[in-house]
Amino acid sequence: MSHQKRKISTGVLFALLCFCYMIPNYVQYQLPSLGTQLMDEYGLTLGNLSSLFSAPMIPAIVFSLAGGMLLDRLEPKMVIGVGLVLTAIGSIGRIFCVQFGFLFVCMMLTGMTACFITAGAGKIISGIYQTEDISSKMGVLMACSTGAMTVANLTTSYLGSVHTAFLIGAVIASIGVVLWFGLMKRSDLETVDTKRKQENIVYCIRVVLKEQRVWIVAFALFFVMAANVVMSSFLPTALISKGVHSKIAGILAACYTQGNLLGCFVAPLSIKCLKSQKKTLIIFAILAAAGITFAWQIPKTIVTGIVLCLTGIFLGGLVPTLMGVPVQLPQIGTAYAGTAGGVVATIQIGGAVLVPSYILVPIAGENFNFLFGLGGICLLISSFLMIFLKRIK
């Protein structure tokens, strides 16, 4: 089906995809505002609470590659639909949880939609938009994800109780299932042809793994995500450690988060201005590295907020732009974009989960200068890898 024939429904399809991507992020980011209540009601430790918050990321490590391969061989409507159903089951299950173990499993299930959409975003978007629009649409999709996190952080504390918050999350997840299966037609996302269905799974993986640029993108994102987690997790604590009031530290941390949101829109515009995706990526990574290393140390609060916002813009613009690269590669295209997205997503989330907790923090300890410096080095490594992204505009 041509882009012209489907132009009327394209906006609805993309809006539906964005809404579905917002659901698991909203559900996950309800937890920080419920932390104290959850610890009281379930008898949790801080470690338990941290485990619950990171649980939705586990499916991305385990199932991203499998989800990507399924998207290359089956209809996206069904694959994403299964993810939405599992997210809804997890969201509903949270309402009835009485112990940590059950709640942990439910939180893992809520991450299934994000797992499949992250792996297949490039493939799905390339099926409804032209190639030159992929980066900007990926930016909008990532912005919706960040927006959902922000809404959850801002509103959950006003809901009164854990039960009410979980109930609202379950309702939103259920609405996502109904809208997806009710509005989405199989013909809306025709990304799989008969030849692809007949290909051996091992052959699909071999095609993807032989493409060097998929590995470059994956490990560039690996280091970008490691740096982002360092900034997101430790910025408020670092600011407080140098005498900034806790409320001001929270506001400054929000400047960085909002920068992430803006970066999703600024990056595509920068690519058009510089007329080079590769140059934009390298420049953004270098500027983000400088920002992570030095922004939090600036003595003037207003200047700190501005620089942190800029740092968030540069780092936030890297993620959707890099995620949109595999589908633009001739050897990958829409045919193998799902499998490529699965490989990239698996390695990417590995950087977010493993590097900060098990490498950077043990090395730096409580030395925040060293820790944020290591975060900056991660971004410089990422910028170096991007130099080898040959033949991308």
PDB file of all heavy atoms in Angstrom, residues 271 274-284 321 383 385-393:
ATOM      1  N   ILE A 271      19.716  18.189  12.232  1.00  0.00           N
ATOM      2  CA  ILE A 271      20.139  17.391  11.083  1.00  0.00           C
ATOM      3  C   ILE A 271      19.827  18.123   9.774  1.00  0.00           C
ATOM      4  O   ILE A 271      20.640  18.157   8.845  1.00  0.00           O
ATOM      5  CB  ILE A 271      19.455  16.006  11.102  1.00  0.00           C
ATOM      6  CG1 ILE A 271      19.997  15.175  12.269  1.00  0.00           C
ATOM      7  CG2 ILE A 271      19.686  15.260   9.783  1.00  0.00           C
ATOM      8  CD1 ILE A 271      19.222  13.907  12.533  1.00  0.00           C
ATOM      9  N   LEU A 274      22.373  21.137   9.565  1.00  0.00           N
ATOM     10  CA  LEU A 274      23.741  20.711   9.260  1.00  0.00           C
ATOM     11  C   LEU A 274      23.815  19.848   8.006  1.00  0.00           C
ATOM     12  O   LEU A 274      24.900  19.614   7.479  1.00  0.00           O
ATOM     13  CB  LEU A 274      24.320  19.929  10.443  1.00  0.00           C
ATOM     14  CG  LEU A 274      24.532  20.710  11.740  1.00  0.00           C
ATOM     15  CD1 LEU A 274      24.989  19.772  12.861  1.00  0.00           C
ATOM     16  CD2 LEU A 274      25.562  21.807  11.546  1.00  0.00           C
ATOM     17  N   LYS A 275      22.642  19.359   7.563  1.00  0.00           N
ATOM     18  CA  LYS A 275      22.540  18.492   6.384  1.00  0.00           C
ATOM     19  C   LYS A 275      23.410  17.247   6.520  1.00  0.00           C
ATOM     20  O   LYS A 275      23.949  16.736   5.547  1.00  0.00           O
ATOM     21  CB  LYS A 275      22.926  19.277   5.116  1.00  0.00           C
ATOM     22  CG  LYS A 275      21.995  20.448   4.837  1.00  0.00           C
ATOM     23  CD  LYS A 275      22.387  21.194   3.580  1.00  0.00           C
ATOM     24  CE  LYS A 275      21.423  22.351   3.332  1.00  0.00           C
ATOM     25  NZ  LYS A 275      21.775  23.131   2.132  1.00  0.00           N
ATOM     26  N   SER A 276      23.534  16.781   7.754  1.00  0.00           N
ATOM     27  CA  SER A 276      24.322  15.571   8.008  1.00  0.00           C
ATOM     28  C   SER A 276      23.899  14.949   9.326  1.00  0.00           C
ATOM     29  O   SER A 276      24.045  15.563  10.390  1.00  0.00           O
ATOM     30  CB  SER A 276      25.814  15.895   8.059  1.00  0.00           C
ATOM     31  OG  SER A 276      26.556  14.767   8.502  1.00  0.00           O
ATOM     32  N   GLN A 277      23.386  13.741   9.247  1.00  0.00           N
ATOM     33  CA  GLN A 277      22.993  13.014  10.449  1.00  0.00           C
ATOM     34  C   GLN A 277      24.220  12.635  11.268  1.00  0.00           C
ATOM     35  O   GLN A 277      24.224  12.759  12.499  1.00  0.00           O
ATOM     36  CB  GLN A 277      22.214  11.759  10.037  1.00  0.00           C
ATOM     37  CG  GLN A 277      21.503  11.055  11.161  1.00  0.00           C
ATOM     38  CD  GLN A 277      20.643   9.902  10.651  1.00  0.00           C
ATOM     39  OE1 GLN A 277      21.010   9.208   9.713  1.00  0.00           O
ATOM     40  NE2 GLN A 277      19.496   9.711  11.266  1.00  0.00           N
ATOM     41  N   LYS A 278      25.261  12.194  10.603  1.00  0.00           N
ATOM     42  CA  LYS A 278      26.480  11.753  11.277  1.00  0.00           C
ATOM     43  C   LYS A 278      27.141  12.907  12.042  1.00  0.00           C
ATOM     44  O   LYS A 278      27.512  12.760  13.210  1.00  0.00           O
ATOM     45  CB  LYS A 278      27.441  11.169  10.246  1.00  0.00           C
ATOM     46  CG  LYS A 278      28.753  10.662  10.818  1.00  0.00           C
ATOM     47  CD  LYS A 278      29.570  10.018   9.715  1.00  0.00           C
ATOM     48  CE  LYS A 278      30.940   9.602  10.201  1.00  0.00           C
ATOM     49  NZ  LYS A 278      31.732   8.943   9.137  1.00  0.00           N
ATOM     50  N   LYS A 279      27.288  14.068  11.395  1.00  0.00           N
ATOM     51  CA  LYS A 279      27.901  15.221  12.063  1.00  0.00           C
ATOM     52  C   LYS A 279      27.080  15.656  13.275  1.00  0.00           C
ATOM     53  O   LYS A 279      27.629  15.989  14.326  1.00  0.00           O
ATOM     54  CB  LYS A 279      28.026  16.388  11.081  1.00  0.00           C
ATOM     55  CG  LYS A 279      29.107  16.224  10.038  1.00  0.00           C
ATOM     56  CD  LYS A 279      29.150  17.437   9.122  1.00  0.00           C
ATOM     57  CE  LYS A 279      30.192  17.258   8.035  1.00  0.00           C
ATOM     58  NZ  LYS A 279      30.200  18.410   7.090  1.00  0.00           N
ATOM     59  N   THR A 280      25.760  15.646  13.126  1.00  0.00           N
ATOM     60  CA  THR A 280      24.883  16.032  14.234  1.00  0.00           C
ATOM     61  C   THR A 280      25.072  15.105  15.426  1.00  0.00           C
ATOM     62  O   THR A 280      25.186  15.565  16.570  1.00  0.00           O
ATOM     63  CB  THR A 280      23.408  16.005  13.791  1.00  0.00           C
ATOM     64  OG1 THR A 280      23.233  16.899  12.684  1.00  0.00           O
ATOM     65  CG2 THR A 280      22.486  16.419  14.923  1.00  0.00           C
ATOM     66  N   LEU A 281      25.131  13.812  15.160  1.00  0.00           N
ATOM     67  CA  LEU A 281      25.321  12.837  16.236  1.00  0.00           C
ATOM     68  C   LEU A 281      26.639  13.070  16.964  1.00  0.00           C
ATOM     69  O   LEU A 281      26.688  13.078  18.204  1.00  0.00           O
ATOM     70  CB  LEU A 281      25.286  11.421  15.661  1.00  0.00           C
ATOM     71  CG  LEU A 281      23.916  10.868  15.261  1.00  0.00           C
ATOM     72  CD1 LEU A 281      24.064   9.600  14.424  1.00  0.00           C
ATOM     73  CD2 LEU A 281      23.066  10.599  16.494  1.00  0.00           C
ATOM     74  N   ILE A 282      27.711  13.263  16.225  1.00  0.00           N
ATOM     75  CA  ILE A 282      29.033  13.436  16.836  1.00  0.00           C
ATOM     76  C   ILE A 282      29.080  14.728  17.656  1.00  0.00           C
ATOM     77  O   ILE A 282      29.567  14.733  18.799  1.00  0.00           O
ATOM     78  CB  ILE A 282      30.128  13.436  15.747  1.00  0.00           C
ATOM     79  CG1 ILE A 282      30.225  12.041  15.098  1.00  0.00           C
ATOM     80  CG2 ILE A 282      31.477  13.829  16.340  1.00  0.00           C
ATOM     81  CD1 ILE A 282      31.138  11.983  13.885  1.00  0.00           C
ATOM     82  N   ILE A 283      28.567  15.811  17.097  1.00  0.00           N
ATOM     83  CA  ILE A 283      28.563  17.094  17.806  1.00  0.00           C
ATOM     84  C   ILE A 283      27.725  17.007  19.084  1.00  0.00           C
ATOM     85  O   ILE A 283      28.144  17.461  20.160  1.00  0.00           O
ATOM     86  CB  ILE A 283      28.031  18.218  16.890  1.00  0.00           C
ATOM     87  CG1 ILE A 283      29.038  18.493  15.770  1.00  0.00           C
ATOM     88  CG2 ILE A 283      27.766  19.490  17.693  1.00  0.00           C
ATOM     89  CD1 ILE A 283      28.520  19.413  14.692  1.00  0.00           C
ATOM     90  N   PHE A 284      26.538  16.411  18.983  1.00  0.00           N
ATOM     91  CA  PHE A 284      25.667  16.267  20.148  1.00  0.00           C
ATOM     92  C   PHE A 284      26.344  15.442  21.241  1.00  0.00           C
ATOM     93  O   PHE A 284      26.255  15.766  22.430  1.00  0.00           O
ATOM     94  CB  PHE A 284      24.339  15.617  19.750  1.00  0.00           C
ATOM     95  CG  PHE A 284      23.278  16.588  19.320  1.00  0.00           C
ATOM     96  CD1 PHE A 284      23.591  17.681  18.536  1.00  0.00           C
ATOM     97  CD2 PHE A 284      21.954  16.418  19.691  1.00  0.00           C
ATOM     98  CE1 PHE A 284      22.617  18.593  18.133  1.00  0.00           C
ATOM     99  CE2 PHE A 284      20.964  17.314  19.304  1.00  0.00           C
ATOM    100  CZ  PHE A 284      21.300  18.404  18.523  1.00  0.00           C
ATOM    101  N   THR A 321      17.635   9.440  17.271  1.00  0.00           N
ATOM    102  CA  THR A 321      18.363   9.519  16.002  1.00  0.00           C
ATOM    103  C   THR A 321      19.127   8.231  15.738  1.00  0.00           C
ATOM    104  O   THR A 321      19.084   7.676  14.629  1.00  0.00           O
ATOM    105  CB  THR A 321      19.341  10.712  16.012  1.00  0.00           C
ATOM    106  OG1 THR A 321      18.631  11.907  16.355  1.00  0.00           O
ATOM    107  CG2 THR A 321      19.968  10.895  14.642  1.00  0.00           C
ATOM    108  N   SER A 383      30.821   9.007  20.730  1.00  0.00           N
ATOM    109  CA  SER A 383      31.106   9.896  19.597  1.00  0.00           C
ATOM    110  C   SER A 383      32.197   9.315  18.707  1.00  0.00           C
ATOM    111  O   SER A 383      32.154   9.448  17.481  1.00  0.00           O
ATOM    112  CB  SER A 383      31.515  11.285  20.094  1.00  0.00           C
ATOM    113  OG  SER A 383      32.777  11.251  20.734  1.00  0.00           O
ATOM    114  N   LEU A 385      32.775   6.086  18.232  1.00  0.00           N
ATOM    115  CA  LEU A 385      32.158   5.002  17.466  1.00  0.00           C
ATOM    116  C   LEU A 385      31.370   5.553  16.271  1.00  0.00           C
ATOM    117  O   LEU A 385      31.356   4.951  15.189  1.00  0.00           O
ATOM    118  CB  LEU A 385      31.232   4.183  18.365  1.00  0.00           C
ATOM    119  CG  LEU A 385      31.911   3.336  19.446  1.00  0.00           C
ATOM    120  CD1 LEU A 385      30.864   2.739  20.379  1.00  0.00           C
ATOM    121  CD2 LEU A 385      32.742   2.235  18.819  1.00  0.00           C
ATOM    122  N   MET A 386      30.732   6.689  16.463  1.00  0.00           N
ATOM    123  CA  MET A 386      29.910   7.273  15.392  1.00  0.00           C
ATOM    124  C   MET A 386      30.735   7.677  14.175  1.00  0.00           C
ATOM    125  O   MET A 386      30.201   7.776  13.066  1.00  0.00           O
ATOM    126  CB  MET A 386      29.143   8.480  15.922  1.00  0.00           C
ATOM    127  CG  MET A 386      28.103   8.138  16.979  1.00  0.00           C
ATOM    128  SD  MET A 386      27.457   9.642  17.749  1.00  0.00           S
ATOM    129  CE  MET A 386      26.688   8.981  19.214  1.00  0.00           C
ATOM    130  N   ILE A 387      32.014   7.926  14.372  1.00  0.00           N
ATOM    131  CA  ILE A 387      32.892   8.278  13.246  1.00  0.00           C
ATOM    132  C   ILE A 387      32.886   7.176  12.197  1.00  0.00           C
ATOM    133  O   ILE A 387      33.022   7.430  10.998  1.00  0.00           O
ATOM    134  CB  ILE A 387      34.333   8.535  13.748  1.00  0.00           C
ATOM    135  CG1 ILE A 387      34.360   9.765  14.652  1.00  0.00           C
ATOM    136  CG2 ILE A 387      35.307   8.705  12.588  1.00  0.00           C
ATOM    137  CD1 ILE A 387      35.694   9.988  15.346  1.00  0.00           C
ATOM    138  N   PHE A 388      32.675   5.936  12.646  1.00  0.00           N
ATOM    139  CA  PHE A 388      32.744   4.788  11.743  1.00  0.00           C
ATOM    140  C   PHE A 388      31.392   4.437  11.115  1.00  0.00           C
ATOM    141  O   PHE A 388      31.250   3.401  10.469  1.00  0.00           O
ATOM    142  CB  PHE A 388      33.300   3.574  12.492  1.00  0.00           C
ATOM    143  CG  PHE A 388      34.682   3.801  13.029  1.00  0.00           C
ATOM    144  CD1 PHE A 388      34.864   4.181  14.354  1.00  0.00           C
ATOM    145  CD2 PHE A 388      35.792   3.683  12.203  1.00  0.00           C
ATOM    146  CE1 PHE A 388      36.130   4.422  14.856  1.00  0.00           C
ATOM    147  CE2 PHE A 388      37.061   3.918  12.698  1.00  0.00           C
ATOM    148  CZ  PHE A 388      37.253   4.292  14.021  1.00  0.00           C
ATOM    149  N   LEU A 389      30.398   5.305  11.315  1.00  0.00           N
ATOM    150  CA  LEU A 389      29.092   5.103  10.653  1.00  0.00           C
ATOM    151  C   LEU A 389      29.196   5.569   9.206  1.00  0.00           C
ATOM    152  O   LEU A 389      28.796   6.689   8.847  1.00  0.00           O
ATOM    153  CB  LEU A 389      28.000   5.865  11.401  1.00  0.00           C
ATOM    154  CG  LEU A 389      27.485   5.233  12.688  1.00  0.00           C
ATOM    155  CD1 LEU A 389      26.505   6.160  13.380  1.00  0.00           C
ATOM    156  CD2 LEU A 389      26.805   3.893  12.390  1.00  0.00           C
ATOM    157  N   LYS A 390      29.742   4.739   8.376  1.00  0.00           N
ATOM    158  CA  LYS A 390      29.979   5.102   6.978  1.00  0.00           C
ATOM    159  C   LYS A 390      28.673   5.091   6.177  1.00  0.00           C
ATOM    160  O   LYS A 390      27.758   4.345   6.446  1.00  0.00           O
ATOM    161  CB  LYS A 390      30.963   4.118   6.321  1.00  0.00           C
ATOM    162  CG  LYS A 390      32.330   4.103   6.992  1.00  0.00           C
ATOM    163  CD  LYS A 390      33.233   3.059   6.340  1.00  0.00           C
ATOM    164  CE  LYS A 390      34.594   3.042   7.024  1.00  0.00           C
ATOM    165  NZ  LYS A 390      35.475   1.998   6.436  1.00  0.00           N
ATOM    166  N   ARG A 391      28.635   5.991   5.232  1.00  0.00           N
ATOM    167  CA  ARG A 391      27.561   6.083   4.248  1.00  0.00           C
ATOM    168  C   ARG A 391      26.176   6.283   4.873  1.00  0.00           C
ATOM    169  O   ARG A 391      25.196   5.740   4.404  1.00  0.00           O
ATOM    170  CB  ARG A 391      27.556   4.853   3.326  1.00  0.00           C
ATOM    171  CG  ARG A 391      28.785   4.814   2.428  1.00  0.00           C
ATOM    172  CD  ARG A 391      28.706   3.671   1.431  1.00  0.00           C
ATOM    173  NE  ARG A 391      28.754   2.369   2.066  1.00  0.00           N
ATOM    174  CZ  ARG A 391      29.884   1.779   2.469  1.00  0.00           C
ATOM    175  NH1 ARG A 391      31.050   2.380   2.277  1.00  0.00           N
ATOM    176  NH2 ARG A 391      29.883   0.606   3.033  1.00  0.00           N
ATOM    177  N   ILE A 392      26.127   7.041   5.974  1.00  0.00           N
ATOM    178  CA  ILE A 392      24.841   7.559   6.407  1.00  0.00           C
ATOM    179  C   ILE A 392      24.923   9.069   6.261  1.00  0.00           C
ATOM    180  O   ILE A 392      25.978   9.667   6.480  1.00  0.00           O
ATOM    181  CB  ILE A 392      24.465   7.171   7.858  1.00  0.00           C
ATOM    182  CG1 ILE A 392      25.330   7.912   8.886  1.00  0.00           C
ATOM    183  CG2 ILE A 392      24.538   5.697   8.063  1.00  0.00           C
ATOM    184  CD1 ILE A 392      24.772   7.858  10.268  1.00  0.00           C
ATOM    185  N   LYS A 393      23.851   9.706   5.879  1.00  0.00           N
ATOM    186  CA  LYS A 393      23.887  11.122   5.578  1.00  0.00           C
ATOM    187  C   LYS A 393      24.124  11.942   6.834  1.00  0.00           C
ATOM    188  O   LYS A 393      23.650  11.601   7.901  1.00  0.00           O
ATOM    189  CB  LYS A 393      22.566  11.540   4.921  1.00  0.00           C
ATOM    190  CG  LYS A 393      22.366  10.930   3.555  1.00  0.00           C
ATOM    191  CD  LYS A 393      21.092  11.417   2.929  1.00  0.00           C
ATOM    192  CE  LYS A 393      20.902  10.828   1.545  1.00  0.00           C
ATOM    193  NZ  LYS A 393      19.668  11.289   0.892  1.00  0.00           N
TER     194      LYS A 393
END
